[in-house]
Amino acid sequence: MIRAAVLTTCGAAPTIAERPAPVPADDAVAVTVEAVPITPLDVLCASGTSYFGPPSTPYVPGVQGVGRLGDGTAVWFGTSAGMRPGVDGSMATAVTVPTVDVVAL
């Protein structure tokens, strides 16, 4: 299990919840999250006022973050949370992201 900020209603604050640990697909990697900014895009998506339209809820916000791969490599990563249905973001203790969206630091 992981802990995550889960948004259930646009415009309301997320709540901290336990969720199943994500399992990476073949083209993705698991990242242990260490830091997450709150970007203007996060605010727009979470408020339901983004140019992508209101997100499907519940979801975990966060379009980027910094963390570590299983081998300890520090990485920056991006997500499409709030922009694509069914995609959780970086505001969790662990995430899976497409390998192409990961940059070694």
Side-chain angles (χ1 to χ4, degrees):
M1 296 296 281
I2 64 166
R3 294 184 75 199
V6 179
L7 186 77
T8 56
T9 304
C10 290
T15 57
I16 302 298
E18 296 278 328
R19 294 177 60 117
V23 177
D26 290 337
D27 60 346
V29 294
V31 179
T32 300
V33 178
E34 294 189 0
V36 175
I38 298 174
T39 70
L41 182 53
D42 292 318
V43 174
L44 287 171
C45 289
S47 69
T49 61
S50 165
Y51 37 88
F52 295 104
S56 296
T57 56
Y59 85 103
V60 176
V63 297
Q64 58 183 279
V66 174
R68 293 197 181 270
L69 301 178
D71 66 2
T73 302
V75 295
W76 173 92
F77 62 93
T79 80
S80 55
M83 297 174 272
R84 289 190 21 223
V87 176
D88 281 336
S90 57
M91 294 184 187
T93 55
V95 298
T96 61
V97 292
T99 305
V100 298
D101 295 334
V102 176
V103 178
L105 297 176

